[in-house]
Amino acid sequence: MNREIEVSDIPESATKDMLLNFFESERIGGGPVANITYNESDRTAVVTFESPESVNTILRRQPCILQGRAMIMRVRTYADEDCMTSVSAMTSESAMTSESAMTSVSAMTFESAMTFESAMTSESAMTSESAMTSESAMTSVSAMAFESAMTSESAMTSESAMTSESAMTSVSAMKCASIKKDYEWKGDTTSICVSGFKDTTSEDNCIYYFENNKRSGGGEISSHQMNRDEGYIIITFVRSTDAAEVMRRSHTIDGVSLTVRPYVLDKKTVFVTGLTGGISEDTLLNFMEVKAKADVKFVLLSEDKTKAVVEFEHPCDFHQIKEVCAKYKLEGVHLVVGQVPKCSSVKVTGLPSNISEDTLRLYFENNCRSGGGIVEMVELDPNVAVCLIYFQDDQVVEEVCRRSHVIENTRVEVCPYHRCLGKLKAEKKERASS
């Protein structure tokens, strides 16, 4: 099976590294790339995959859009010079095989005739009927050989035509079809987090939509909490099966597509509010380890230093930590703690200059290189030295943070970042030059 595709109409700003990340991205169903031959002058490329399955999957996902442009892709066909050589060789071999077969049939016919003549000369008991039978047999052999050759040729021609026609039909259908949601939650939770809705979308509209089993796949809702400032709503269903069905589907409210992900509480992490601006990460870490008697893995402060996320080495007793913070003060204030969902985003620092959102998205969607997966959103400001990468699946965050990362020949630092800490604000420090 073919492992190569030809790509044309590539965006002018696309680099070879960007193409590599794009074609290995989970979003388009890509896989490990063995080689890319990139012609920057005419914006074309030949991409060779390690597996032909990657070619089939990518063609099923068309159109494939990079930097707002739908690139043109096709399987590398027999129109190529090397393929033509292969076809010629196959044709020559087939002709030789056919000639050999005919020679063999002729030899069989001649041998049968000689045997018949010998039998007649030796006055063997061969009747006219036997001769006719022999002649019929020879005729049958010839007819069978001819019929087999014609059938084989017809089958090959028919199969080629059908394959070509099916491929063209499939590609046309794929271009018209919408891309189906790929992510499917395999866990057991009753809560979902919905974002991406319009500012004018009412809370009731969201609730009624997700209670409508016919439209959303949902069902009875036990509770919900909308956060307008952060642009999301937490919905908890009575049944986990309703939540699972919702996450298998794509959703649109008021004409915009929504992002739906599982909302699973992290048993090793707490969200702390009520901090004074002067509290450092070390101070909060020591307070938690001494008073709550639990080993802290790390502390992340929000940019205004009034909120923090504390992750422990092991699952913690949330109620015990809540009681400790209510009993003891830290620098004159009682801390307020809450539970948070599993982290689904990372903070990237030390970025090279002029980095683009597309470059970041493609890199972190390339599981082979970054350990990541489908990226839900990239939050990047041209004037800051950091960005946030929001993943659709929180399970990739640990692997991403475990690895070392080099983007555009620049080593960057990556760590978990919880949404509850808020969005990034502009920083004065310059990005590292590439």
Side-chain angles (χ1 to χ4, degrees):
M1 297 177 68
N2 207 321
R3 298 186 295 116
E4 295 180 318
I5 61 172
E6 293 179 338
V7 188
S8 58
D9 203 20
I10 298 172
E12 294 181 0
S13 58
T15 63
K16 184 175 180 180
D17 197 51
M18 185 181 291
L19 288 175
L20 173 64
N21 286 323
F22 179 82
F23 286 108
E24 288 188 338
S25 168
E26 181 184 349
R27 181 181 294 274
I28 67 167
V33 172
N35 183 57
I36 292 182
T37 303
Y38 185 28
N39 189 329
E40 294 189 30
S41 60
D42 60 6
R43 318 307 300 172
T44 62
V46 174
V47 182
T48 304
F49 292 91
E50 293 183 5
S51 169
E53 277 304 312
S54 299
V55 174
N56 299 333
T57 307
I58 285 175
L59 291 180
R60 284 197 299 269
R61 302 283 180 89
Q62 288 197 72
C64 290
I65 299 174
L66 177 62
Q67 295 185 326
R69 176 180 294 180
M71 297 184 292
I72 299 173
M73 283 179 282
R74 67 183 180 90
V75 177
R76 201 173 191 194
T77 62
Y78 290 133
D80 301 305
E81 183 177 350
D82 56 341
C83 291
M84 287 299 292
T85 303
S86 177
V87 170
S88 298
M90 290 171 63
T91 304
S92 175
E93 184 180 351
S94 299
M96 291 174 64
T97 304
S98 176
E99 183 178 353
S100 300
M102 291 301 292
T103 303
S104 177
V105 171
S106 298
M108 289 170 62
T109 304
F110 179 75
E111 183 180 353
S112 299
M114 290 295 291
T115 303
F116 178 72
E117 183 178 355
S118 300
M120 290 294 291
T121 303
S122 60
E123 297 181 355
S124 300
M126 177 175 279
T127 62
S128 176
E129 182 179 355
S130 300
M132 290 175 64
T133 303
S134 177
E135 183 179 353
S136 300
M138 291 192 302
T139 303
S140 176
V141 169
S142 301
M144 288 171 63
F146 178 75
E147 183 179 355
S148 298
M150 291 298 291
T151 302
S152 177
E153 182 179 355
S154 300
M156 290 171 63
T157 305
S158 174
E159 183 178 355
S160 300
M162 288 174 65
T163 303
S164 176
E165 182 179 355
S166 299
M168 292 298 292
T169 303
S170 178
V171 169
S172 299
M174 286 186 291
K175 289 183 178 180
C176 299
S178 59
I179 299 175
K180 188 178 179 182
K181 185 175 179 182
D182 300 310
Y183 178 67
E184 182 175 335
W185 173 249
K186 296 180 175 60
D188 183 18
T189 180
T190 57
S191 299
I192 61 173
C193 179
V194 183
S195 58
F197 47 79
K198 290 181 177 179
D199 293 338
T200 55
T201 298
S202 69
E203 189 171 339
D204 283 344
N205 194 8
C206 288
I207 297 305
Y208 292 145
Y209 172 81
F210 284 105
E211 280 185 332
N212 188 330
N213 179 267
K214 182 179 179 180
R215 292 192 63 199
S216 67
E220 185 180 354
I221 294 174
S222 62
S223 65
H224 69 274
Q225 180 182 356
M226 176 173 272
N227 187 325
R228 284 284 184 186
D229 293 336
E230 296 296 331
Y232 66 83
I233 182 171
I234 306 299
I235 297 175
T236 301
F237 295 95
V238 173
R239 295 177 295 273
S240 61
T241 52
D242 291 337
E245 180 60 29
V246 165
M247 285 182 282
R248 275 193 288 267
R249 300 190 186 186
S250 297
H251 305 279
T252 301
I253 295 181
D254 291 339
V256 297
S257 296
L258 305 179
T259 298
V260 179
R261 64 183 186 277
Y263 188 85
V264 182
L265 293 177
D266 190 339
K267 296 181 179 180
K268 296 195 296 183
T269 306
V270 296
F271 179 48
V272 182
T273 58
L275 298 173
T276 62
I279 293 179
S280 67
E281 292 179 352
D282 283 341
T283 301
L284 182 56
L285 182 149
N286 289 323
F287 173 82
M288 287 292 181
E289 288 197 333
V290 171
K291 298 301 182 183
K293 294 181 173 52
D295 295 330
V296 175
K297 187 174 182 179
F298 62 80
V299 173
L300 292 175
L301 287 173
S302 63
E303 294 194 5
D304 61 7
K305 300 187 184 303
T306 62
K307 297 175 289 188
V309 166
V310 180
E311 181 172 329
F312 297 92
E313 292 286 355
H314 308 287
C316 59
D317 186 336
F318 172 73
H319 296 290
Q320 178 189 354
I321 294 174
K322 190 174 181 179
E323 290 176 0
V324 165
C325 291
K327 182 178 180 180
Y328 300 100
K329 291 183 178 181
L330 178 60
E331 296 193 359
V333 296
H334 286 287
L335 304 180
V336 178
V337 296
Q339 291 180 286
V340 294
K342 287 187 176 181
C343 182
S344 61
S345 55
V346 296
K347 182 178 181 179
V348 187
T349 58
L351 293 170
S353 59
N354 302 319
I355 194 78
S356 69
E357 288 188 13
D358 280 336
T359 298
L360 290 166
R361 180 187 297 275
L362 291 173
Y363 175 79
F364 283 104
E365 285 190 340
N366 188 333
N367 181 266
C368 298
R369 300 185 70 188
S370 68
I374 295 177
V375 172
E376 178 184 299
M377 181 174 66
V378 176
E379 185 184 322
L380 172 69
D381 189 303
N383 299 315
V384 301
V386 298
C387 78
L388 297 181
I389 306 294
Y390 296 87
F391 291 101
Q392 198 175 68
D393 184 1
D394 59 68
Q395 297 179 50
V396 305
V397 170
E398 184 175 353
E399 177 62 21
V400 169
C401 294
R402 187 183 66 81
R403 297 191 184 188
S404 299
H405 301 277
V406 176
I407 305 177
E408 298 289 333
N409 299 318
T410 302
R411 184 170 295 281
V412 299
E413 297 298 325
V414 179
C415 67
Y417 193 85
H418 288 262
R419 294 173 187 243
C420 56
L421 294 176
K423 296 186 177 182
L424 294 176
K425 295 181 180 179
E427 297 179 356
K428 295 181 179 180
K429 59 183 179 180
E430 297 292 331
R431 283 205 191 109
S433 58
S434 57

